[in-house]
Structure formats: C-alpha cells, structure tokens
Amino acid sequence: MTDEIDRLFEAARAVRANAHAPYSKFHVGAAILTDAGTIHAGCNVEIASYPEGWCAETTALGKMVASGERTVRAVLVIGDGPGLTTPCGGCRQRLAEFAGRDVPVHIADPGGVRASFTVGDLLPHGFVLAD
C-alpha cells in the first residue's frame, strides 16, 4: 500500500504545479489509481466566471473516463494550508460514482499524507447506482 500512496503522492504533487488558480492562489492536485493500476492525475482550473471552474478530482476523473477506465481503487488529494484539503461535496459524489464506499482517499500537503478516509466516510449517504 505504501508504494501506491507514494506513486499517488508524486503524481498529485507534480500535477499540482500546473493548477490554474489566478483568483484563489490555492493550487490542488489529485491522483486516482484505477483497478488496472493506472494513475490519472489532475489539477484545479479556475476561470473568471468563478463558480464555473473545476476541481482537481474532477480533472483526474475526466482523464480516467476518457481513457476508458471506470473503477477507482485509491485517491490522493494534495493542497496547502492549515486545514485538510478534502474533496468538495460535488467531487465526493463524483468519486462515489466510480469508487466503492471502502476506497481510500488520502489527504496530503506538500510534506506528505495528513489523513486518510474512505469514500463512505466522506459521503455517507451519497447517491449510488443501484445493483
């Protein structure tokens, strides 16, 4: 598991440098590990019509889906600041679309992982596809 977390951390850290955050100056990176072992990374993108930008998790999920994959095995989100940079409500729901409730979501800052949750911890009563 540590190797997976290290790979996710490096991917999220690297892509975070590409964030487009001219308004908030808050750069976020996210990396998703799929069942196939592929890592898809994304950063946040802000635009002048502020609520219309998108989060790092959304970018990473979009890359995953565009590549033909659909199952998330682990997630790592990296941000900066005194608090934890957890996924927003919309991204929690997006993650739940492609990840089981037990999928780990690691929250990091540039120094390393600060906390770990599951998708179920972050979104206990989210909408999910019925079996």
Side-chain angles (χ1 to χ4, degrees), residues 9-30 40-47 54-56 59-60 63 78:
F9 180 82
E10 286 307 315
R13 184 193 59 74
V15 77
R16 180 176 173 261
N18 296 330
H20 180 73
Y23 307 100
S24 72
K25 309 291 190 237
F26 192 75
H27 295 194
V28 179
H40 299 279
C43 57
N44 57 316
V45 179
E46 296 175 354
I47 60 174
W54 56 94
C55 301
T59 304
K63 289 174 71 175
I78 184 171

Side-chain angles (χ1 to χ4, degrees), residues 16-97:
R16 180 176 173 261
N18 296 330
H20 180 73
Y23 307 100
S24 72
K25 309 291 190 237
F26 192 75
H27 295 194
V28 179
I32 293 170
L33 176 67
T34 68
D35 270 351
T38 308
I39 291 179
H40 299 279
C43 57
N44 57 316
V45 179
E46 296 175 354
I47 60 174
S49 178
Y50 199 69
E52 298 303 319
W54 56 94
C55 301
E57 300 90 333
T58 300
T59 304
L61 284 167
K63 289 174 71 175
M64 178 192 78
V65 170
S67 77
E69 296 188 75
R70 296 289 188 273
T71 308
V72 173
R73 189 167 79 201
V75 179
L76 188 139
V77 179
I78 184 171
D80 211 355
L84 298 176
T85 304
T86 60
C88 72
C91 285
R92 291 174 190 208
Q93 184 62 55
R94 288 179 192 93
L95 288 169
E97 183 74 18

Side-chain angles (χ1 to χ4, degrees), residues 104-128:
V105 180
H106 307 288
I107 308 303
D109 65 16
V113 173
R114 295 181 58 198
S116 295
F117 304 94
T118 65
V119 169
D121 292 334
L122 294 174
L123 190 68
H125 302 286
F127 297 105
V128 293

